[in-house]
Amino acid sequence: MKLIDKEGYEYFEIRINKAVIVFFTAKKDLNFYIASESGKQNLELLKQWFNLEEVGCLNQIHSDIVHDHSGEVLQGDALITHRENIGIGVFTADCVPIILYDKSKNVIAAVHSGWKGTFDRICEKTIKKMMSDYGSEAGDIVVYIGPHIGSCCYEVSKELIDSFHSSFDLQAAEIAEEAESQHLNLQRYIIKQCINFGINNNNIFTMDICTFCCEQHEMYSYRKDNKKAGRMFSMVYLQD
Ligand SMILES: [Zn+2]
């Protein structure tokens, strides 16, 4: 993983086979909030920066809806494609951005998973669609979990913790830890979804950056900055 400076903006880049994964930070106020003019312009700019034909995104609604990239901005929270030179990505400010890559069939996916999407298993549903529609096999899929609000800073209601505990299979120690602290560990549930579908633990990589308390990099955090928070973009594309 490399940290790249682009005209004062900043992103993490991971290159693996034909896939390039990009996690933007909020440095120099780079904002992809799609409802704003500057957000739209910044998305447009990515075509030049990365030499892409299109950059696909969604009108995100905290759902478990997974789409194939079509060029249209649909309602949903995960995008899949196997086409080259097409960027697909998700906007986040605390929610979890997840990038999936099938190294063998060259299929990529970008997933937006906040607590609702995590609870509704959107990551699992994306893997399922990669398998059924693109012939992906679990052993070929690598997973990158980008910056999001860590359990360090994500205190939630007891009711929410309880509903996660009754819906997911957890170890006693995991249950005790969350019940006591009342801090939800979204990443844990996303990793569980991947492992449930046969993805190897060694093929799951986490950035371990908390959007709320990270001091080393600038991050947008909705919980910290509320309506003032911008949106980061996490993107993946295939290129020869
Ligand atoms: Zn934190």
Side-chain angles (χ1 to χ4, degrees), residues 152-153 210 213:
C152 43
C153 297
C210 172
C213 71

Side-chain angles (χ1 to χ4, degrees), residues 148-154 210-214:
H148 61 276
I149 191 160
S151 58
C152 43
C153 297
Y154 197 35
C210 172
T211 42
F212 193 97
C213 71
C214 176

Side-chain angles (χ1 to χ4, degrees), residues 63-218:
S63 69
D64 61 351
I65 301 170
V66 186
H67 290 288
D68 298 304
H69 168 75
S70 66
E72 262 182 280
V73 182
L74 302 170
Q75 292 214 328
D77 291 273
L79 269 176
I80 305 179
T81 192
H82 60 178
R83 290 168 59 195
E84 287 180 10
N85 303 314
I86 305 281
I88 51 172
V90 289
F91 310 106
T92 58
D94 286 343
C95 290
V96 189
I98 310 158
I99 302 293
L100 304 162
Y101 174 42
D102 169 351
K103 291 186 286 182
S104 164
K105 302 231 165 42
N106 285 304
V107 182
I108 51 177
V111 184
H112 161 246
S113 188
W115 75 258
K116 282 188 190 130
T118 305
F119 187 78
D120 291 335
R121 300 174 190 251
I122 187 167
C123 186
E124 213 172 273
K125 286 168 185 166
T126 307
I127 298 166
K128 220 168 162 175
K129 190 167 166 67
M130 287 171 76
M131 289 174 162
S132 63
D133 296 6
Y134 294 85
S136 293
E137 285 171 36
D140 297 323
I141 298 175
V142 289
V143 181
Y144 289 86
I145 299 175
H148 61 276
I149 191 160
S151 58
C152 43
C153 297
Y154 197 35
E155 192 173 0
V156 299
S157 69
K158 187 183 175 306
E159 290 70 28
L160 189 59
I161 297 261
D162 287 346
S163 44
F164 269 87
H165 289 180
S166 50
S167 173
F168 284 83
D169 200 15
L170 292 170
Q171 288 169 3
E174 294 173 323
I175 293 176
E177 179 215 307
E178 273 189 352
E180 199 189 314
S181 68
Q182 257 178 250
H183 282 59
L184 191 64
N185 185 338
L186 291 173
Q187 181 165 288
R188 168 183 290 155
Y189 295 96
I190 289 162
I191 293 173
K192 276 184 192 292
Q193 292 172 44
C194 295
I195 289 172
N196 283 347
F197 266 78
I199 293 176
N200 191 317
N201 208 8
N202 298 328
N203 287 333
I204 303 171
F205 303 92
T206 62
M207 309 259 305
D208 280 326
I209 293 176
C210 172
T211 42
F212 193 97
C213 71
C214 176
E215 288 180 350
Q216 210 182 341
H217 304 285
E218 286 164 58

